[in-house]
Amino acid sequence: MTKSVSVVENILGANDRIAEANRQLLDSTKTYAVNFMASPGAGKTSVILRTIDALKDRYRIGGIDGDIATTIDADRMAATGIPAVQINTGGTCHLDAVMVSGALPKLNLDELDMLIIENVGNLICPASFRIGSHLDVLIASVPEGDDKPYKYPKMYRGVSAVLLNKIDMLPYFDFDMDYFRKGVEALNPGLAFFPVSARTGEGFDEYLQWLMEQVDSYLGS
Ligand code: MG
Ligand code: ZN
């Protein structure tokens, strides 16, 4: 029992050291990295594509896309005109620091202000594996239900912001916004929270304003 716990701790410790090296590389090239996490179907790629579209004239953006097997999402990122690198995790359900350290040299970080990382769609373990990002964002969505903070507390504790996507679908689902927010607030008090719709664009102005403040403050520091 004790032994298996220490093995897990060692794996996470090794991961954290590499995550720290990733962060140093990003900082030495002044590149602000945002890690987007979500369950499958939350609309992660749609949110990311809309974010890139809105910010690509303001910042030099690059992308890393983690996927279990396909390159579809990296291709969609690249179609926006930004340099994008695919990490094929070979079945692993999260990105880890080693995978990201292998992808970083494939981007010219000196010529980027911002790096957008799309993690593998999964609410269980991506939050346990730090990758060196400056900002970790969780994308939840209305159809997933208002009980998700209560079911996946670790994920909600480990992020700097929550986007609640697909708010255009609120009329069709029995989603209690107060219950959801109460769950988020209990786990992560004061967390930045933005209800959005990647389909209609609703809520994006507020979210993008906040995101630009984070990036500007980093780049200006
Ligand atoms: Mg840079
Ligand atoms: Zn995993």
Side-chain angles (χ1 to χ4, degrees):
M1 199 66 183
T2 313
K3 193 177 176 188
S4 70
V5 167
S6 73
V7 169
V8 170
E9 280 172 356
N10 285 341
I11 290 169
L12 290 176
N15 182 78
D16 282 358
R17 282 191 294 281
I18 297 160
E20 190 50 44
N22 290 346
R23 173 72 76 90
Q24 281 172 15
L25 176 61
L26 291 162
D27 286 341
S28 71
T29 59
K30 206 78 174 172
T31 310
Y32 189 75
V34 186
N35 171 29
F36 285 95
M37 297 176 284
S39 60
K44 186 157 39 83
T45 304
S46 304
V47 168
I48 286 173
L49 292 177
R50 200 178 252 278
T51 302
I52 292 170
D53 229 42
L55 300 185
K56 70 181 180 186
D57 292 335
R58 183 182 176 100
Y59 307 114
R60 300 169 298 171
I61 303 177
I64 290 179
D65 183 88
D67 200 285
I68 290 175
T70 75
T71 63
I72 295 168
D73 291 344
D75 293 345
R76 290 176 70 189
M77 270 192 189
T80 67
I82 67 162
V85 174
Q86 176 75 33
I87 296 177
N88 191 322
T89 66
T92 301
C93 52
H94 57 266
L95 290 178
D96 66 25
V98 175
M99 296 176 200
V100 172
S101 78
L104 289 176
K106 296 178 184 164
L107 290 160
N108 191 348
L109 297 175
D110 281 326
E111 292 183 0
L112 296 182
D113 304 313
M114 187 178 185
L115 176 63
I116 290 185
I117 301 167
E118 177 166 1
N119 213 308
V120 179
N122 174 9
L123 280 186
I124 310 289
C125 47
S128 299
F129 289 85
R130 291 172 51 211
I131 56 178
S133 44
H134 298 88
L135 188 69
D136 298 295
V137 177
L138 176 61
I139 303 169
S141 71
V142 167
E144 292 170 73
D146 51 21
D147 60 349
K148 284 296 170 291
Y150 304 90
K151 287 189 173 167
Y152 300 97
K154 182 155 193 180
M155 191 54 120
Y156 281 81
R157 268 196 208 102
V159 295
S160 327
V162 168
L163 304 189
L164 178 64
N165 190 28
K166 305 193 185 183
I167 54 167
D168 54 300
M169 294 175 95
L170 277 169
Y172 313 108
F173 285 86
D174 189 16
F175 188 98
D176 184 337
M177 187 70 84
D178 288 338
Y179 180 67
F180 180 83
R181 289 216 61 177
K182 213 171 277 175
V184 173
E185 193 59 26
L187 294 165
N188 201 330
L191 186 67
F193 175 73
F194 301 98
V196 300
S197 166
R199 195 174 71 78
T200 67
E202 192 179 351
F204 264 72
D205 285 350
E206 293 80 1
Y207 147 63
L208 289 169
Q209 187 59 44
W210 173 83
L211 183 57
M212 287 187 287
E213 282 166 18
Q214 314 307 310
V215 183
D216 288 348
S217 133
Y218 175 82
L219 294 176
S221 66

